Amino acid sequence: MKVYEALAEAFVHEGTSDVFGMMGDANMHWMNALHQRGVRLYEVRHEGSGLGMADGWARTAGRPGVVTTTSGPGVSQLATSMLCASRAGTPLVAFCGETPVGDETAVQYLDQRRFAAAIECDFVHVSRPDLAEEAVQRAFYTARTRSRPVMLSAPFDVQVKDFEDAGPYTPSTDLIGHARLLPDPAAILRAAELVQASKRVVIIAGRGARLAGAGEQILRLQEQTGALLATTLQAKNWLCEGNEHHVGISGLFGSKVAMELLQEADCVIAVGASLNHYTTEHGLLFPDASYVQIDTSPNLVMGHGKAADVYVQADAVTAVAELSRVLDKRPAGAQGFHTPEVRSRLAAPLRAPAEYHAEPGRLDPREVIHVLDAEIPPEIGLVLGSGHQTDFGTMLFQRSRDVLSNYGMFGAIGQAPLLTIGSVVADGGKPAFVVEGDASFLMHLSEFETAVRYGLPVLVVVMNDEGLGAEYHKAKAKGLDPELAVIPTPELGAVAVALGGGGATVRTTAELTAALSDYVRSPRPYIIDVRITRNVLSVPYRRLQYGEDV
């Protein structure tokens, strides 16, 4: 057996089923060995795109995604996507080929250890044949336990050497305990006392709570405490179905009603939510609140630089259930936010104004989101990009569906379609749609062909204002020339068809509805180029750029 075969075998034992990337001299032997072992290989058009897909795969599957590159430039292409994955806390292993050990004159030589540090991922080096299995085990162990990307760098000359099999491989999963992290009873008691003394409780559920499956426990605690339920952006619309006291996202993307109600809170219970500055508006959103924070991390500093009044390090399911159990033994609390007046304020759906902005050949982006939410079945998942045009969807999508958001992950545009492709692969080919801006989508247009090649039912809704939307509106607000941010685009619906997929360019709601019906009837790689006006500013930008109370 060769080292590259041992490496491939170890990846299989770690549960690797899908690998994204590009083949080159320094990883082709390893990829061939994976193929022989039944692993599905997805050849992409850019190495960074492959990492973005592995990122989306990992976020959906809940286990480490895998990307591969050849040496040197193949590795350097990973930079932006790797930083996004690192900031998102995505478990991921990048198998990177490397030039022969010690040959700094090689054309593709790169100090990959230093590069890995610069792009914020861990580094594991296959320095000798006998260390091959240990390197794979360590890479996956780190990815799983620290929830972060790891670069596994394998010099080509080491890969082709003989490997002496020392016995059965022990996967990293065998080294990790699977028991739920139990809460400290004293911490639960302090949390119960704080909650019991409060009259206006807010529960904020984050991605950690959703991944832990703590929905049932959170809803019970909400009923016990008369609490409002809010989510972070990463858990958008979770537990909203039939919940009369669900206020949506906490923070900049929240509605005006939500912000007004949340400011009345005297106690915030955060479950699997980091309470960063986005969620708390730097602490300004909860001026008079005490905090109970439940998380598996040893401790977290919140977005306003302070620690919670009571911090409970524990699994979300067990901690919330235990808090409810203790509260059951105490006198019933006040009704809190569960009043007819609050229900009346929350009853009006969050929607765009009755009169949309009329402009020949261009749609109001708020109306576009309303149509998308109504016409796309809730079982079709949603991926949200970043930038001004996706702000409309981030606020206005209301149906309960699986949502994956790239907002705030290094502030990089163009990543969301890549995440969507990886997510669809991880979900067994289940259809999903992504809402992205035109400049963002065109950055990785070539990967739509990847979706076509593998028959992945990805719907890309391009909110096309023919420009850099964020920069256009920021320039206007700052008194600069916004026309410098205008970039005409071709008919992307026709481009989609030319690449082998389905597509349409739409300028009316009737055309949009027809295109959506075509996709829903027959899910396949599809682009809907929605021409939208630049004369409507999103609520977050109205708040940030003009200080408007909306």
Side-chain angles (χ1 to χ4, degrees), residues 179-185 188 312-315 318-319:
R180 293 187 183 275
L181 183 60
L182 299 178
D184 177 2
I188 289 292
V312 182
Q313 184 188 8
D315 166 78
T318 54

Side-chain angles (χ1 to χ4, degrees), residues 82 86 94 113 115-123 148-151:
M82 185 70 84
S86 179
R113 183 185 296 273
F115 185 72
I119 59 175
E120 300 179 6
C121 69
D122 278 29
F123 183 85
R148 60 181 290 107
V150 181
M151 182 187 295

Side-chain angles (χ1 to χ4, degrees), residues 200-495:
R200 308 282 271 184
V201 176
V202 169
I203 300 172
I204 300 179
R207 181 173 62 171
R210 187 171 194 167
L211 291 174
E216 180 183 341
Q217 291 75 20
I218 287 173
L219 291 175
R220 179 166 182 261
L221 181 63
Q222 181 190 13
E223 189 61 32
Q224 277 182 297
T225 58
L228 291 177
L229 178 59
T231 71
T232 64
L233 175 55
Q234 298 301 324
K236 177 178 169 59
N237 292 346
W238 187 44
L239 304 177
C240 71
E241 200 72 37
N243 193 332
E244 293 182 299
H245 304 100
H246 196 294
V247 298
I249 295 172
S250 172
L252 179 67
F253 291 104
S255 68
K256 183 178 180 180
V257 170
M259 286 189 163
E260 290 172 347
L261 289 171
L262 294 179
Q263 288 180 51
E264 299 176 12
D266 58 3
C267 177
V268 173
I269 305 173
V271 186
S274 65
L275 293 182
N276 58 38
H277 62 276
Y278 296 110
T279 304
T280 67
E281 281 293 284
H282 301 273
L284 299 176
L285 191 55
F286 304 102
D288 301 316
S290 300
Y291 290 88
V292 173
Q293 192 167 17
I294 297 170
D295 204 281
T296 55
S297 298
N299 211 319
L300 293 169
V301 175
M302 297 182 291
H304 57 340
K306 299 178 181 178
D309 297 273
V310 179
Y311 191 90
V312 182
Q313 184 188 8
D315 166 78
V317 172
T318 54
V320 176
E322 185 62 11
L323 179 57
S324 287
R325 188 189 67 79
V326 173
L327 288 172
D328 273 340
K329 297 180 178 181
R330 294 164 174 262
Q335 63 184 148
F337 284 105
H338 292 195
T339 66
E341 188 269 335
V342 169
R343 284 192 289 275
S344 176
R345 293 177 68 184
L346 291 173
L350 179 61
R351 61 173 54 159
E355 294 184 6
Y356 293 115
H357 176 79
E359 184 176 325
R362 292 184 179 273
L363 286 164
D364 186 316
R366 298 166 297 183
E367 186 175 16
V368 172
I369 299 303
H370 177 74
V371 173
L372 293 175
D373 212 17
E375 297 296 326
I376 299 178
E379 60 268 20
I380 295 181
L382 166 64
V383 179
L384 291 165
S386 56
H388 178 257
Q389 303 312 330
T390 54
D391 285 358
F392 295 103
T394 302
M395 283 203 69
L396 297 174
F397 278 116
Q398 293 300 292
R399 295 182 80 173
S400 180
R401 64 174 88 236
D402 289 336
V403 179
L404 194 159
S405 174
N406 190 52
Y407 214 97
M409 307 306 180
F410 192 48
I413 65 173
Q415 296 292 305
L418 311 176
L419 295 172
T420 311
I421 292 173
S423 178
V424 168
V425 172
D427 216 8
K430 181 180 175 182
F433 74 109
V434 54
V435 176
E436 188 61 286
D438 48 304
S440 298
F441 176 63
L442 283 165
M443 186 175 287
H444 297 296
L445 172 63
S446 58
E447 301 304 346
F448 181 75
E449 185 275 333
T450 301
V452 170
R453 196 169 356 112
Y454 292 105
L456 303 173
V458 174
L459 169 62
V460 183
V461 178
V462 182
M463 301 285 279
N464 192 347
D465 64 354
E466 294 196 276
L468 300 167
E471 286 66 32
Y472 180 89
H473 290 289
K474 290 175 184 176
K476 279 186 84 169
K478 299 176 189 300
L480 304 175
D481 183 0
E483 294 301 314
L484 295 176
V486 174
I487 311 173
T489 61
E491 297 260 342
L492 296 176
V495 172

Side-chain angles (χ1 to χ4, degrees), residues 153-164:
S153 190
F156 177 66
D157 58 330
V158 175
Q159 288 187 52
V160 297
K161 290 182 178 179
D162 291 330
F163 177 79
E164 294 185 12

